[in-house]
Amino acid sequence: MEFSTRSIDGGFAEPVIAAQGVFRALMEAMARPGTVHALPPLAAPPAPLTAEAGAVALTLCDHDTPVWLDPELQGSAEIRDWIGFHTGAPFAFTPAEAHFALVSRPGELIALENFAQGSQDYPDRSATIILQLDTLAAGAPLVLEGPGIETRARLAPAPLPRHLATQWRQNNARFPRGVDLVLTAPGAIACLPRTTRIVETEG
Amino acid sequence: MYVAVKGGEAAIDNAHRLLADRRRGDRDVPALGLDQIVEQLALAVDRVMAEGSLYDRELAALAIRQARGDMIEAIFLVRAYRTTLPRFGYARPADTGAMLIERRVSATYKDLPGGQLLGPTFDYTHRLLDPQLAGDAPVAAPATREADTRAMPRVSEILTREGLIEGDGALPDDREPGDITREAPEFPMERDLRLQSLARGDEGFLLALAYSTQRGYARSHPFVGEIRIGELDIELDVPELPFPVPLGRIRVTECQMVNQFQGSAKAPPQFTRGYGLVFGQSERKAMAMALCDRALRAGEFGEDVTAPAQDEEFVIAHADNVQATGFVEHLKLPHYVDFQAELDLVRRMRAEAEAHTATPVKVAGKAAE
Amino acid sequence: MAVIARADGDALRRLWAEAGFEELAELVRGPETGLVMLRGRMGGGGAAFNLGEATVTRATVRLATGEVGHAYALGRDRDKVRIAATVDALWQRPQSRDRVEDRIVAPLRAAGAAADDERRRETAATKVDFFTMVRGED
């Protein structure tokens, strides 16, 4: 079993600076749901893992955070090796064991309720799901409300998990348990934490 | 009520500056090098590594110097440092049977394969202070002799063949060893977590508990099956290589304690065991750990839990000297508001007590107790 | 890798300088220091438990000719580990393997074996030879 050089390349050139920058963008995006933050191409993972999702993985994942890959990403030995080499993260056998999930095909994602939801005592023991999208601005508009949003925020991400509006209401109802979403698209990220409500959808 | 106050910034700065001065001491005396500490205060370094739970000689030496030789402060510094580093993984369990041995003794068998190797021990010294060591008198090179190349099996393996002793200690195969640096300890606790806690526990505390078991508080009739000190090869599995990567060697002390056991409803008469494994050369700690490990297995053998050393929560929750010093030493930090509240309460209680008494209590120091 | 991981950093630096390799290796990862949790087994051979951590430094390099070398070693000597990763990469290239083996690995292996042998001989000198003084009947 040869370890591909494609799995060794493409990490952060300056790990500390890059990870701090990505973390800052993530923190802002999580604190102000619906706002879009620029993310320069800092990582170059093997396709189909994108630069943005790869950068988020390099920033958040480590030896203590089991990672779940959707079937397309799971099918690539290069991607598994890349994540293993650069983050040291182990892979979760089931979505319920994962701290992070990387999803290249959001439209085919299994239901959010399959992922770790945390417990009443430890709501932080839930999954953060990182979705690779085509766009955050050109999809069907979502109108968002909740903590961190002064009045209403708008976001138009695509493609989204099936029946997201319904799934997200269920996710909201599980509070303080529930999953958080990181939405990545070329050059940008936004977040939907469990506290955010989707109040309107079109299309 | 909570009142935030600020002050003392200049006092703190100057206190730190004074500390630095006192730490350095007389400038005419040469400064201690870390290599001197590593080489000549090696067992102090070992203790800081063991209780700091971080194997790195130079860091332990730096901590000892920075702490002016205060061992618990040095251990605290090492514990704080380790939180700044990422975790690369879990090494494969090291095989103490394959140790490059520097000392190996057994109190249960005189003749055993490989023999009794005394190594660099304080045992059999007369504990008379040696004025020569005040200077830098030349030290002779160690004697040498042809080494026995036979394998040195652990003494426990010899006893196992007779069937009169319990096995090495099993947990369910699918159990991933618990890690107190990752999950907060909960009681009751499995033996793997207890051993991890004991391995970094305070030597003095564990020694006192071990002593208490010998004096009759959880009597366990112990014998030293074997103590061995030496170096172990460490290997790590990493994603990028298909074989375990060798990392180098560490020195450890292992103690196999063998305890006579009269049998209970749960287990037949046999020898039971306690296990100690500690970073560096520290057989006192390894022995104390093994005695405490055995005492804490009381429940497993259906023994009555009557003594402090058998009380898991008492032993494990108080064995960590960094936690202990944190909670004890925080008492010296300002508690001005807390104390004012208590003062107020005591005044009111006193007033109420006096109101209920026909003849008011004479105010005296003792009345406040 | 075991020989080099164990080696004293200064010994490796000296041999590396003397061997005179001129290849430049690009750092792909590290050198970086982290922790590895070390493990023992209950009773020596039973269930595993976590003993305590050790500092470990690692590096990955790539030669201009494409070979990738990895190195891990206990401690915090980044320079040693960077050289060790380069040595690992050079060892994988057929035209430099013999020189790496002769100039670096073999001398370190010999030094390690000699040190171990010395240690064993010093320990052996402290072996107790029992002899019977009196054999009594009561």
Side-chain angles (χ1 to χ4, degrees), chain A residues 5 8-9 85-86, chain C residues 28-29 60 62 68:
Chain A
T5 64
I8 285 169
D9 292 327
F85 180 76
H86 290 284
Chain C
V28 180
R29 180 178 68 182
T60 297
R62 180 173 22 223
V68 172

Side-chain angles (χ1 to χ4, degrees), chain A residues 10-139:
Chain A
F12 286 146
E14 291 186 78
V16 174
I17 305 287
Q20 285 179 350
V22 177
F23 190 83
R24 176 53 124 173
L26 269 166
M27 193 172 64
E28 294 284 346
M30 203 56 97
R32 294 179 181 77
T35 56
V36 175
H37 297 262
L39 203 62
L42 294 163
L49 188 61
T50 63
E52 294 76 17
V56 172
L58 293 185
T59 301
L60 297 181
C61 301
D62 66 22
H63 184 265
D64 295 320
T65 61
V67 172
W68 181 86
L69 302 178
D70 77 353
E72 187 186 34
L73 297 176
Q74 176 66 28
S76 162
E78 282 187 350
I79 288 174
R80 293 197 308 271
D81 289 346
W82 188 84
I83 292 169
F85 180 76
H86 290 284
T87 74
F91 292 100
F93 291 109
T94 68
E97 294 166 8
H99 293 195
F100 294 102
L102 287 164
V103 179
S104 62
R105 294 191 176 173
E108 296 168 20
L109 182 63
I110 54 170
L112 299 180
E113 66 186 12
N114 291 301
F115 291 91
Q117 305 288 322
S119 66
Q120 236 21 60
D121 288 341
Y122 296 101
D124 55 306
R125 294 179 184 173
S126 62
T128 300
I129 303 169
I130 300 150
L131 302 173
Q132 297 187 173
L133 309 184
D134 299 334
T135 176
L136 297 177

Side-chain angles (χ1 to χ4, degrees), chain C residues 70-121:
Chain C
H70 303 284
Y72 283 75
L74 289 171
R76 289 166 295 118
D77 189 340
R78 291 170 192 229
D79 189 43
K80 166 188 161 180
V81 174
R82 184 186 53 78
I83 295 172
T86 313
V87 169
D88 182 53
L90 286 167
W91 192 86
Q92 291 172 55
R93 199 171 63 180
Q95 57 270 43
S96 53
R97 178 174 299 188
D98 286 350
R99 200 154 126 237
V100 167
E101 189 65 38
D102 293 349
R103 305 293 299 270
I104 295 170
V105 180
L108 290 175
R109 186 182 290 122
D116 285 357
D117 188 51
E118 181 71 5
R119 185 84 54 83
R120 283 196 191 90
R121 288 163 50 79

